[in-house]
Amino acid sequence: MKRKRCEGSGESCSPADWIRQEDCPVGIRNVGNTCWFSAVIQSLFHLPVFRRLVLNYCLSERVLEKCKSHSEKRNIAFMQELRCLFALMVGSNRRFVDPSAAVELLRDAFRTSEAQQDVSEFTHKLLDWLEDAFQLAANGNNPEDKQNNPMVQLFYGTFVAERLHAGKIVSNIEQFGQYPLQVNGFNNLDECLEGAMVEGDIESLHSDQPVSSGQERWFSKLPPVLTFELSRFEFNQSLGRPEKIHKKLEFPQVIYMDSRYLHKNVDQTHGRRGDVKRLKDQLTVLQQKLEGYKNYGSGPTKYPLADMLQYVLEFVTTKPTNVSPASLCDKLCLSFFSLPCLSPSKYDAGSSDGSGCPQTATQKTPIHKPFTQCRPPMEVPLQPAPHSVTEEELYFVRSCLQRWRAEVENTVNELKASIDKVSQALEGMYSDNSLCQVSYRLHAVLVHEGQASAGHYWAYIYDHANKRWLKYNDVMVTESTWEELVRDSYGGMTNASAYCLMYISDKLPYLIAEDTDDETGQALKGMDSLPSILRSYVREDNRWFQQELREWEEQFCQAQCEEVHTEKPIPEEPQNPEQEPNPEPAQEQTNEVSGEPPTDSTPAPVQDSEEENQAMATHSQPENEVSEVEIPNVGKILVRSDADGYNEEMMLTPAMQGVIFAIAKARQVFDKDGPEAGLIKAFHEEYSRLYELSQEETTPQQDPRLQHVLVYLFQNQAPNRVIERTLLEQFGDRNLSFDDRAVSIMREARSKIRLIKPEDMDMDEYLQWHDDYSMFKTVFAYLLTGLEQYQNGKIREALNYLAHAHQDNSVLLRKGERKGVDQSLIALYRIKCLKELNENAATLFKSPDANDVAEAMTIMNECIIPCMHLMVRDSVSQEDLDVIELIRSCWCSYLGQDMDDSLQEKLSEFLPRVLDCSAEMVVLKEPPKVRKSPHNLCSRLTAVMESIHSTSVVTVK
């Protein structure tokens, strides 16, 4: 696709976002349906033993001269490109790297260059190429001898297959790389392995009963890296197409392979399998018995037996009545006609013809009130009861029912206890220490989201050095948790699930050990771990990257200047000197264009019809070029090439995902009734979703307002015109030009925005609401950054951020309670920072070192005193007053102490400012710029609040 510079594959239009953050892993750019490549390569690269093998791959001149075949030359070329890619991933200054050179060599190995690849198919092909390439380096003279091939040693194992033939057990040894496991019919990884190990009647293989079928597999040699393929695709014969299996499948972080899968434990495992079978049979019988008590009855509807006996007991003990149904009906009728609302007194006195009907002209029509308003004069039983019960009958039936119910309850409790006991025995059957010696730890999980024909891959990889999970999604590398991994990988809830599991041996520390210096023994990181030739390659690429940044900045400044001149064109002279130009179009454009850059909280500019038609015409020129973009919770979508480009990172924001998903929901309405109906349907879908989101309860770990500007507007009762235009602006975003339906809805939204007249919308009010939301996100960014800095021990920086957060938040709270953040959390940590900084400054001030004294003066003048002054000028709380008095007392105590004249002079310089907080203008040090992405703030809020929850129970409202 032809895209604008900086807008491809998640690139941001900010040069700062192209730069790799310190100690942050590098992402891999998706160069066209290559998410499968990124997922597999990242999982292998972050295995240090494999990374070392690739980076240090080398062939002698003698071996290179012997390589004549096409496959050998291709494999060598691929290894060289893979080395370069790995080197960039180690030492590049870029946030993500381009794998195009390595990917191009793989294209020919698959059916087509554009089809999305199966991750297991690619991994098989990749390992084959690597195996052949390393075979040249390991033993070029004998290609059949693969004992010294590092790829074979690392990824390949063997298993023993046993079967019964002619009454004898026949076994053979087979090699495996990635071991396939079926998902259907199993609930967890152990069940999958058990099913893969056993086929047919497993007991007959090691018993005296001959059978004609049955096979077992036992691992005889496990590889250091054990990879399982989860077969989540099957071919539907009736539909003639593959389908994905979305069934839930659990897998552990640590699995013990000797518990039931190793050939050396075959006898012990068989004995336990017999015990397991007996326990499972016993458990089935117990569960069937319990089910009979819980669902009793011969008809279609069944009830718990204990409850049925209790109901019969309640019926028998209910007070009997001698009233029959017929007599009860008669009495109810008499009661009805004797109600006061129907009595003769309700009629005017007058003559009657004897029939009971009044004859006077002034007679009133009777008022028939509902008889429920009048209480019947007799008591009617409220629940069924026997007509008559003797004391003897009552005693006999009651005693029987009570005894039977007690017996049933005791039996049910005994069955439950037996089931628990048997279940615990089953769970502990393979968990004793003798069978838990060969442990494998989960290293990587490759996830597929979508259906069989299309989808997206990403990987969760464990960072062994920092003990954390990281999510690698093409160019995006983010810190994750086991809970998020489980949610995305187990399956059963969404269309995302694990497709490949990579475990590594816990007994081989060299697998995850970093490179070390031969002389000092210290770990080598970054560029130091690269061979000299690759180090030079990366340095050269980094120099090119710096040049690209400089060029981008120059182009960006030039574009900004051109945009300024374009926004203020010189009006043309009218052809007729007596005819004045019509000012209305210019006025309409002024009200529609806010002049602010389009973000998730600021409305995007709306083009006039001529510009829009020209843009759409340009957009439709390269019709034969398309690309795919993965939208979380939506799936893979085809995007037409656009000469003007689109911001792919904006398409991945939660706000844009919601709009895209709403458009997808409105597909049927669009196809049936056209773009306007489709827009209305999509608008109401997203409006309803965001309104429901605004009603969710705020927790310390989550604030719905951070997820979308409309949630903020709803919670602050913004005018409907502001809410509706804000959402309409998002449906008019240019990033929606990824297919014809979205383009039509985008055009329709822009048309409706142009119909909004100046008298219908106060743009100053509209922009003020968005400015408030932008400040709200700034407050949150300052707050979270301050808390993060505080936890990292950077107290001075933390106080600066918290002081700015408190100051800006006070402005918002004066406009409304839900306009800002609850001040209690900011105030609490502001006080903590002040106390710690003051103690530090007081200690440094008494130091004999002049540098320490100067540092103390800097802390007081730049941090503590300005913050104290702001606290006094605001609505100061008692806690704030207490910490201010504590600081004053601390420094006043120095007045009675002996100290050098120079210290006395310095103390006299700032002590008056400590005591009097109203005599000067306060200027806080401006903190560095912070990212205000709502998605980023949501994840940071969760992480920060979870980390401080044990020490501070403060709700962020």
Side-chain angles (χ1 to χ4, degrees), residues 145-159:
D145 183 11
K146 298 186 177 182
Q147 296 299 320
N148 296 323
N149 191 316
M151 291 296 104
V152 175
Q153 295 173 349
L154 194 60
F155 294 103
Y156 288 87
T158 58
F159 65 85

Side-chain angles (χ1 to χ4, degrees), residues 135 139-146:
Q135 186 64 29
N139 191 347
N141 295 326
N142 186 5
E144 300 300 325
D145 183 11
K146 298 186 177 182

Side-chain angles (χ1 to χ4, degrees), residues 832-875:
K832 289 186 176 184
C833 290
L834 276 172
K835 288 181 178 179
E836 294 188 29
L837 268 184
N838 187 68
E839 293 174 1
N840 187 24
T843 303
L844 293 172
F845 189 78
K846 293 186 294 184
S847 172
D849 190 343
N851 293 330
D852 291 344
V853 176
E855 178 69 7
M857 295 286 292
T858 302
I859 293 175
M860 293 300 299
N861 290 324
E862 294 184 2
C863 301
I864 295 180
I865 294 177
C867 188
M868 290 174 58
H869 288 205
L870 283 177
M871 292 167 66
V872 171
R873 295 181 185 185
D874 291 338
S875 54

Side-chain angles (χ1 to χ4, degrees), residues 237-273:
Q237 297 289 346
S238 60
L239 298 178
R241 66 187 183 194
E243 290 185 342
K244 185 178 178 182
I245 303 170
H246 295 293
K247 183 183 182 298
K248 180 179 180 180
L249 184 79
E250 300 178 356
F251 49 85
Q253 295 193 63
V254 177
I255 185 171
Y256 297 95
M257 295 302 297
D258 55 340
S259 63
R260 63 191 98 172
Y261 311 119
L262 292 186
H263 190 257
K264 66 179 182 179
N265 296 333
V266 59
D267 295 331
Q268 191 175 2
T269 303
H270 268 293
R272 294 184 180 241
R273 281 180 177 172

Side-chain angles (χ1 to χ4, degrees), residues 281-295 415 419:
D281 292 340
Q282 183 180 352
L283 184 63
T284 301
V285 173
L286 292 172
Q287 289 174 338
Q288 290 175 348
K289 288 183 179 179
L290 180 61
E291 185 67 18
Y293 283 96
K294 292 172 65 177
N295 294 282
L415 287 171
I419 289 173

Side-chain angles (χ1 to χ4, degrees), residues 52-69:
R52 282 192 295 270
L53 288 172
V54 172
L55 291 174
N56 296 305
Y57 180 82
C58 182
L59 293 178
S60 65
E61 292 293 335
R62 182 178 60 83
V63 174
L64 287 173
E65 291 175 357
K66 291 183 178 181
C67 296
K68 303 296 184 182
S69 68

Side-chain angles (χ1 to χ4, degrees), residues 487-505:
R487 185 172 61 251
D488 283 350
S489 306
Y490 276 8
M493 295 179 288
T494 64
N495 59 354
S497 54
Y499 190 66
C500 186
L501 305 176
M502 186 178 292
Y503 285 86
I504 60 176
S505 174

Side-chain angles (χ1 to χ4, degrees), residues 503-524:
Y503 285 86
I504 60 176
S505 174
D506 252 352
K507 304 297 183 181
L508 303 174
Y510 76 90
L511 295 175
I512 57 175
E514 297 292 340
D515 290 332
T516 57
D517 187 89
D518 295 335
E519 297 180 359
T520 64
Q522 295 182 346
L524 298 176

